[in-house]
Amino acid sequence: MIDIRVKLHDRYSVEFKVGYVVDRDREENEFRMDTWFFVPHSLGISASTYSKDDFYKDVRSNVRLITPIYSLEEIAEGEWTPFVFLEDAFQHLVEERTRESIETYEYQIKMFTSIFKSALRGSVNKAIHHEVEVNERELMVGHYVACVRIIARRYRELKKIVHVQGLPKEALNYFSFGDEYLSNLIEFHTFRLLDGLKEFDVKCYEQEKEKLLELVHEEIAYKKKHGYLVAEKDSRDQNRTVIYRRGILKKYAESDLFLKASKKRDGVLVEQIYYSLAAGLSMIFATVIAFSFQKKYGNFTMPLFVALVVSYMLKDRIKELMRFYFAHRLGKNYFDRKTKISMGDKVVGQIKDGVDFISENKVPEEIINRRARTDLLAADNRYAGEKIILYRKWIQLDAEILGEYSQYDISGVNEIIRFDLGNFARKMDEHAYELYVPEGDSGYTAIKGEKIYYVNFLIQLRHEGNVDYRRFRLMITRDGIREIQNL
């Protein structure tokens, strides 16, 4: 199965979070994701102005394991919870005090906080957006607060296990990093919940805000007591440091989920073989011409001299034409880059990707139909058609190696792809556009409109015979992305 979520990352970037979920009954799983970018002609994006290198500079991706899924209730009160692995790692550290036990202890802290983060996010999203019965949302908020308090208390009580003499200082540091990050998560997601309730359910917000703010105040007081940084309303320097430290803690806590990626060009050997064939064919042509003229006119004659010069000139042209022909064929069957993804020394799988500008007649009919151009745009495209970029991805994952990774059930990997559209905005008109409207019976006035452009993404997802399509449309101005629409 392939799951995809798209959101705005910043003013000029869009983020695709693609989840590749493996089928455990298959040793190797293959996934394909083809994305067609339909770009307005007026943006000046073409093969001559926007090269492959330009595209790959604008695309950034990270690959990480899919976080094991638990609810807040399962973490807080379930029998088989991350606390089981966490407490076991704490006990082994105290008993064995080896480098391996320290690494396992640190790993379990990181996994616990990552799982907790995912559970918090899911619980908050459900409380905000879930269709509920009367008073059900209030119950969900109360359950959220109760579970969060239990989880925070249980984690902090584990400090008693490792608060013994003789343990390396780094062991207590790892606990503190997890503790501070856990507190940051509680504060951040509780404020998210408050914002969501204020927007979507004002009545619930008024009833529950005191309870939620009390939870926030508890965490802030806890952080101050233990020397963790907190945001201050009138302290610009401290707030800058708070943001920096929270970013470092996030990267640290999630580091064990990220996979090592080793990139290189794809199809290099086959490419060199094709190019050698091109050189050989051009040499055969030149040699045949030389032998033919030598046999007919003899050695050291003017016709032979002219033939040799002409054949040499044509040889290079034939060589370049053959290189172009083979390169075109190569592009259809191979990719630009190949990335091996691994956990430690074990290769989990590989990702191949390639990008090309293509003409509309090479776009599958079902993609054109799903593009669903308006009549006006279809008419305009006869004179200045959209430029189409095809970005291909092929992913192979080893389900067996994923299953061996840890005690947790790892269902697959997430690839986070960020695409920067800053280059697309260079030739856009200024977004402020003047319009005129009547005012009263005898006057008129000028108003400001906004000049926008649309970039459409059509995505085809394939896995084990299943095919799914997604369409997204970006509304962009010279000043950045205004909106992303899921169509």
Side-chain angles (χ1 to χ4, degrees):
M1 183 183 81
I2 307 178
D3 176 53
I4 183 168
R5 282 171 283 174
V6 180
K7 68 175 186 179
L8 298 182
H9 177 68
D10 58 36
R11 205 162 51 133
Y12 289 103
S13 298
V14 60
E15 178 179 291
F16 298 81
K17 186 176 183 180
V18 189
Y20 307 109
V21 180
V22 299
D23 181 351
R24 295 293 182 188
D25 295 330
R26 295 177 178 271
E27 184 176 338
E28 290 189 350
N29 285 249
E30 289 190 6
F31 307 84
R32 289 184 178 269
M33 184 175 80
D34 293 338
T35 304
W36 288 264
F37 297 73
F38 291 84
V39 184
H41 176 79
S42 58
L43 299 188
I45 300 293
S46 67
S48 59
T49 63
Y50 192 65
S51 66
K52 286 177 182 280
D53 287 341
D54 292 329
F55 180 87
Y56 288 119
K57 287 176 185 175
D58 288 339
V59 172
R60 175 186 172 189
S61 69
N62 290 305
V63 184
R64 52 170 289 173
L65 300 171
I66 293 176
T67 307
I69 298 174
Y70 289 82
S71 68
L72 284 179
E73 184 177 11
E74 287 172 334
I75 299 173
E77 301 172 348
E79 293 182 4
W80 194 249
T81 77
F83 276 115
V84 174
F85 304 129
L86 197 61
E87 187 171 351
D88 185 62
F90 278 50
Q91 295 287 2
H92 273 80
L93 172 64
V94 173
E95 293 169 4
E96 299 177 6
R97 306 192 183 196
T98 61
R99 172 51 53 185
E100 183 180 351
S101 65
I102 290 178
E103 290 175 355
T104 302
Y105 161 83
E106 182 186 20
Y107 165 77
Q108 290 296 347
I109 289 173
K110 291 179 179 181
M111 286 297 291
F112 174 80
T113 53
S114 296
I115 291 168
F116 179 58
K117 174 187 174 182
S118 179
L120 275 175
R121 182 175 60 235
S123 181
V124 168
N125 289 342
K126 186 176 180 180
I128 294 172
H129 301 294
H130 185 61
E131 294 293 331
V132 297
E133 303 293 335
V134 178
N135 296 327
E136 185 180 357
R137 186 168 278 120
E138 287 81 354
L139 293 173
M140 294 171 73
V141 171
H143 187 67
Y144 166 87
V145 172
C147 286
V148 166
R149 283 191 172 126
I150 291 172
I151 293 168
R153 175 180 53 79
R154 289 186 65 182
Y155 177 83
R156 289 159 184 167
E157 285 177 350
L158 291 174
K159 187 175 182 179
K160 298 174 185 176
I161 299 175
V162 293
H163 197 64
V164 295
Q165 288 188 348
L167 281 184
K169 182 182 177 182
E170 60 185 317
L172 288 177
N173 285 342
Y174 297 153
F175 177 88
S176 295
F177 297 156
D179 190 27
E180 184 178 357
Y181 184 53
L182 179 142
S183 188
N184 291 341
L185 290 172
I186 294 172
E187 182 183 343
F188 173 76
H189 285 284
T190 303
F191 277 126
R192 272 193 62 228
L193 181 52
L194 283 162
D195 277 346
L197 294 177
K198 186 189 293 186
E199 181 177 357
F200 296 105
D201 193 335
V202 177
K203 179 183 175 183
C204 181
Y205 169 76
E206 292 297 336
Q207 289 182 358
E208 302 297 327
K209 69 176 180 179
E210 185 176 341
K211 185 185 299 181
L212 291 170
L213 286 172
E214 183 181 354
L215 178 61
V216 170
H217 287 306
E218 288 173 3
E219 288 303 315
I220 291 175
Y222 179 84
K223 284 195 279 192
K224 288 181 178 179
K225 179 180 177 181
H226 289 80
Y228 304 149
L229 287 177
V230 297
E232 297 287 351
K233 185 176 181 181
D234 300 316
S235 179
R236 184 175 179 182
D237 289 341
Q238 178 160 322
N239 293 341
R240 189 183 293 127
T241 306
V242 166
I243 294 170
Y244 173 78
R245 184 171 177 83
R246 288 186 181 184
I248 296 295
L249 281 171
K250 178 180 182 293
K251 291 177 183 177
Y252 168 78
E254 298 180 3
S255 60
D256 275 1
L257 289 173
F258 282 90
L259 300 174
K260 181 181 177 182
S262 176
K263 291 183 173 68
K264 65 178 183 179
R265 284 185 61 200
D266 187 40
V268 176
L269 178 60
V270 176
E271 178 185 69
Q272 295 305 314
I273 292 172
Y274 277 156
Y275 289 171
S276 297
L277 285 173
L281 289 172
S282 67
M283 189 63 196
I284 289 171
F285 169 80
T287 304
V288 168
I289 294 294
F291 282 178
S292 300
F293 273 74
Q294 188 179 35
K295 183 177 180 181
K296 184 172 184 179
Y297 297 106
N299 295 326
F300 308 111
T301 60
M302 183 57 69
L304 177 61
F305 174 77
V306 173
L308 288 173
V309 172
V310 172
S311 67
Y312 183 80
M313 294 166 57
L314 292 176
K315 175 179 77 71
D316 283 348
R317 293 303 91 215
I318 291 172
K319 179 180 177 181
E320 289 305 312
L321 286 171
M322 293 303 297
R323 279 172 61 92
F324 178 79
Y325 171 75
F326 285 140
H328 182 67
R329 288 183 58 86
L330 189 70
K332 289 182 177 180
N333 299 289
Y334 291 87
F335 295 82
D336 300 325
R337 306 185 303 180
K338 178 167 63 176
T339 305
K340 283 188 178 181
I341 51 177
S342 56
M343 300 181 299
D345 58 350
K346 290 188 176 181
V347 176
V348 176
Q350 57 181 324
I351 298 175
K352 296 183 179 182
D353 55 354
V355 65
D356 291 285
F357 279 88
I358 61 172
S359 57
E360 186 164 320
N361 58 15
K362 293 182 180 178
V363 180
E365 185 177 351
E366 63 267 26
I367 298 299
I368 294 296
N369 291 338
R370 290 172 186 275
R371 169 66 184 87
R373 295 188 179 104
T374 63
D375 293 338
L376 177 61
L377 184 58
D380 181 63
N381 274 356
R382 295 204 305 269
Y383 303 98
E386 293 173 307
K387 297 300 179 183
I388 304 173
I389 303 172
L390 172 59
Y391 181 44
R392 300 174 294 131
K393 294 187 77 72
W394 175 87
I395 302 92
Q396 176 268 322
L397 295 174
D398 191 314
E400 185 177 349
I401 292 178
L402 277 174
E404 295 173 353
Y405 181 64
S406 73
Q407 301 110 316
Y408 294 103
D409 181 18
I410 305 296
S411 60
V413 303
N414 281 328
E415 185 179 17
I416 296 93
I417 307 167
R418 290 178 187 167
F419 183 52
D420 189 316
L421 287 96
N423 281 318
F424 285 43
R426 288 180 180 174
K427 293 192 176 180
M428 290 183 180
D429 294 337
E430 290 293 336
H431 74 280
Y433 198 89
E434 198 166 62
L435 297 172
Y436 294 90
V437 295
E439 188 173 56
D441 295 331
S442 58
Y444 67 93
T445 186
I447 61 174
K448 294 294 183 182
E450 191 172 52
K451 175 80 178 206
I452 62 170
Y453 298 81
Y454 290 112
V455 175
N456 284 264
F457 297 78
L458 268 294
I459 303 175
Q460 183 189 65
L461 306 169
R462 289 178 284 168
H463 173 55
E464 306 300 344
N466 297 314
V467 182
D468 191 17
Y469 296 90
R470 303 289 177 87
R471 179 187 170 194
F472 302 94
R473 184 169 69 179
L474 295 181
M475 181 192 298
I476 311 177
T477 72
R478 180 74 175 269
D479 288 343
I481 302 170
R482 287 287 183 264
E483 183 183 353
I484 182 166
Q485 301 166 337
N486 188 348
L487 302 175

